[in-house]
Amino acid sequence: MRRLFSDMMSPLPTELKSLPSFLFSCLFTYIHSHRSHQLTAILESALIAHLLRLFKYKEVGHSFFIMSEFAVVEAAPPIEVFQLSRDCQADTHTQKINLGVGAYRTPEGKPWILPVVKKAEAQLAKDIDAETINHEYLPVLGLDSFATAATSMVLGKDSPALKEERAFGVQSLSGTGALRNGAEFLFRQLKRTVFYFSDPTWGNHGLIFKNAGFTDARKYRYWNKDTCGFNFEGMIEDLQNAPEGAVIILHACAHNPTGIDPSQEQWGKIADVMQEKKLFPFFDCAYQGFASGDLDQDAWAVRFFVERGFEMFCSQSFSKNFGLYNERAGNLTVVVKDKSLIENMKSQITLIVRAMYSNPPAHGGRIVDLVLKDEQLFKEWCECIKVMSSRIIEMRQGLRERLEKLSTPGQWNHITEQIGMFSFTGLTPEMCQFLLKEKHVYLLKNGRISMCGVTPSNLDYLAESINEAVNKFK
């Protein structure tokens, strides 16, 4: 057979000379069945490589070995924000600025462990020492007192849903886990497949819902690049065209990445359309208290929808407002019309959690639970969130003032009109690339910057760098 193959392919390609007999036979059969007058021309190294992959062989030197089952796995694209952080850490430039990571930084650019969190952890350490708490498994749906306190925090203690006992919480793996738990429930139990998210939105929304089973991802307009503002009319039009039962992801406050929130009047019109079209609201509340420093103000939209009579889900994260980024403390708040439905719903969510991670971690939830229930610790925490929100507001004002003083082309009022951790600067991808490569300013290519990375010591350099980028590519 080798000689026959050699007659077909003269001279015999080097790559084939050391093949095992059985594989050579397979290749001969495959090629003979596809033989044509152009065979000699097309059977080059690329085709041979393809055939080798087909039979799961690879060449090492002049020998062939069976390939791993995992050889088919391709490299996934890096997650931009984490790649930025790695690149920034490796950068030795003395004026580098990391504006990618969504985590609070002190005026000195350092992570901040909230003093009230330290106190709570000290108390928990004493409780561990006294063995009043331990490391036993939590229930599948988590620490009930934590979930109750978190639900009350977002809905408000005077919420009609709480008074009528038709709301409950499920401790989750931060906001991400709460979104996943809720999305999977909606897909499995209500057979929902269509979901909408704002354009732009947090980069994980689509992935979470698709992995939960949703098959139809759609966008509603949100950002107006011409005004660097809210495209309210576009959002309303897209919601009006949404099919009945579609799940609408709404940012409760401090929209990520734009920092633009609807006014209360606009929220009213959004609610009108959603009620008319029978759309399901799924709020993502990652910044309550962190945005404005006021827990009630930041939860206004969620509470308004409850008052309007919506059934809804709301994911909560305590990463930002407690600084518990790696503790994964979160809650899924559920509001229904009939409290008799709650036990059935809990039983189904229990099965979802059981199959995914069995039960949540205790430490972060215990910290939040202790602070929210203790009057003195709660007051201290409220002061902490005011410190964080105030610093961000101050940096917004400082950046805008410097850009305007430099006569940077364009309008920069949107920097102070936006709220929360992020600012959507309106910088083009070319400007962002220039800032990254030439100025060592690490920001997302869509122009989003984390205001937490802006400090009094780097404000001038940042403003000057942005000014140079804008002038270069205007």
Side-chain angles (χ1 to χ4, degrees):
M1 183 177 291
R2 279 183 190 272
R3 190 167 65 181
L4 179 59
F5 192 90
S6 182
D7 290 340
M8 291 170 53
M9 296 294 297
S10 182
L12 184 66
T14 303
E15 293 92 334
L16 301 181
K17 289 181 178 178
S18 62
L19 283 177
S21 296
F22 82 93
L23 179 55
F24 193 94
S25 175
C26 292
L27 282 170
F28 176 82
T29 303
Y30 181 89
I31 293 169
H32 183 71
S33 66
H34 291 79
R35 188 176 184 184
S36 73
H37 67 282
Q38 295 179 326
L39 184 61
T40 302
I42 65 171
L43 188 57
E44 300 294 347
S45 59
L47 177 57
I48 293 171
H50 168 72
L51 293 173
L52 292 174
R53 286 195 300 271
L54 180 67
F55 293 107
K56 294 185 178 179
Y57 269 73
K58 67 177 180 179
E59 183 180 11
V60 179
H62 293 292
S63 300
F64 291 85
F65 298 91
I66 296 177
M67 293 168 61
S68 167
E69 292 291 339
F70 302 107
V72 298
V73 178
E74 298 179 354
I79 299 172
E80 184 183 9
V81 65
F82 294 114
Q83 184 64 48
L84 275 177
S85 292
R86 288 192 291 268
D87 292 343
C88 186
Q89 288 176 353
D91 191 345
T92 58
H93 195 273
T94 57
Q95 290 183 292
K96 67 180 180 180
I97 306 175
N98 188 351
L99 302 181
V101 64
Y104 181 76
R105 295 292 180 261
T106 66
E108 295 74 35
K110 303 295 184 182
W112 190 39
I113 302 175
L114 275 59
V116 69
V117 168
K118 290 183 178 181
K119 288 185 178 181
E121 289 187 301
Q123 180 59 53
L124 291 176
K126 293 179 180 179
D127 293 342
I128 285 287
D129 190 55
E131 297 190 12
T132 56
I133 60 175
N134 50 47
H135 296 298
E136 292 292 298
Y137 292 120
L138 291 184
V140 175
L141 299 186
L143 191 64
D144 185 64
S145 57
F146 160 80
T148 299
T151 299
S152 179
M153 188 183 93
V154 72
L155 297 184
K157 61 182 180 180
D158 296 324
S159 171
L162 291 177
K163 290 181 178 180
E164 296 162 14
E165 299 180 342
R166 52 185 181 86
F168 67 94
V170 175
Q171 184 180 348
S172 303
L173 303 182
S174 199
T176 303
L179 285 163
R180 177 60 187 266
N181 289 339
E184 191 157 332
F185 177 88
L186 293 171
F187 169 72
R188 292 183 179 276
Q189 297 300 315
L190 302 189
K191 311 305 179 185
R192 303 296 169 90
T193 59
V194 180
F195 73 103
Y196 280 74
F197 55 88
S198 63
D199 184 15
T201 193
W202 178 48
N204 216 13
H205 278 146
L207 187 62
I208 291 169
F209 273 70
K210 287 178 181 177
N211 285 354
F214 281 72
T215 56
D216 192 346
R218 306 184 188 184
K219 299 177 182 179
Y220 59 83
R221 283 166 283 176
Y222 199 87
W223 169 256
N224 186 330
K225 66 178 182 179
D226 295 326
T227 64
C228 291
F230 180 32
N231 188 353
F232 174 65
E233 293 77 14
M235 178 179 180
I236 291 296
E237 182 179 354
D238 290 339
L239 293 181
Q240 288 173 333
N241 292 327
E244 180 178 324
V247 177
I248 313 298
I249 301 174
L250 300 167
H251 297 235
C253 65
H255 181 274
N256 179 4
T258 69
I260 302 168
D261 293 338
S263 66
Q264 292 186 3
E265 181 181 0
Q266 289 170 331
W267 273 121
K269 294 180 180 179
I270 291 169
D272 290 341
V273 173
M274 291 187 64
Q275 280 188 322
E276 177 187 351
K277 298 292 295 185
K278 298 180 180 179
L279 307 176
F280 186 86
F282 198 140
F283 278 96
D284 185 357
C285 185
Y287 303 99
Q288 186 181 358
F290 189 93
S292 69
D294 187 321
L295 290 169
D296 296 326
Q297 179 177 327
D298 292 346
W300 186 90
V302 175
R303 297 174 185 181
F304 173 72
F305 269 63
V306 173
E307 291 172 0
R308 287 286 298 262
F310 280 92
E311 292 185 301
M312 62 180 224
F313 286 177
C314 178
S315 66
Q316 294 170 262
S317 168
F318 294 93
S319 295
K320 272 71 173 181
N321 53 17
F322 267 81
L324 296 174
Y325 303 98
N326 65 13
E327 297 296 347
R328 313 315 292 149
N331 185 61
L332 174 65
T333 286
V334 178
V335 177
V336 298
K337 291 181 178 179
D338 183 353
K339 69 178 183 180
S340 68
L341 305 174
I342 290 178
E343 288 308 311
N344 286 352
M345 293 179 70
K346 282 186 175 181
S347 70
Q348 293 295 339
I349 297 175
T350 295
L351 296 182
I352 291 171
V353 172
R354 175 62 174 162
M356 202 180 327
Y357 55 87
S358 197
N359 41 51
H363 188 64
R366 282 172 172 162
I367 292 171
V368 175
D369 182 40
L370 179 57
V371 171
L372 294 184
K373 291 191 302 185
D374 185 283
E375 183 177 353
Q376 182 57 39
L377 292 178
F378 179 76
K379 288 181 179 179
E380 292 183 32
W381 175 61
C382 288
E383 291 303 313
C384 288
I385 58 178
K386 288 178 181 177
V387 168
M388 292 188 286
S389 61
S390 296
R391 195 186 88 72
I392 293 173
I393 292 171
E394 182 182 343
M395 291 300 99
R396 287 184 179 277
Q397 186 63 42
L399 182 57
R400 175 184 174 181
E401 288 175 353
R402 284 162 175 77
L403 290 173
E404 291 176 343
K405 186 176 181 180
L406 291 167
S407 298
T408 306
Q411 300 294 320
W412 299 99
N413 54 296
H414 60 280
I415 291 179
T416 54
E417 291 172 358
Q418 296 167 359
I419 191 173
M421 178 170 285
F422 301 110
S423 177
F424 217 47
T425 59
L427 296 174
T428 65
E430 294 81 7
M431 296 173 186
C432 295
Q433 185 70 6
F434 172 81
L435 288 167
L436 178 62
K437 297 299 183 182
E438 302 297 328
K439 296 298 180 180
H440 306 268
V441 175
Y442 291 79
L443 73 166
L444 299 189
K445 59 176 178 268
N446 63 8
R448 189 199 82 169
I449 64 174
S450 171
M451 293 305 303
C452 296
V454 184
T455 67
S457 62
N458 66 29
L459 255 178
D460 289 333
Y461 177 73
L462 176 60
E464 291 164 3
S465 298
I466 292 175
N467 178 65
E468 185 175 343
V470 172
N471 277 291
K472 184 177 179 66
F473 295 99
K474 66 179 178 180

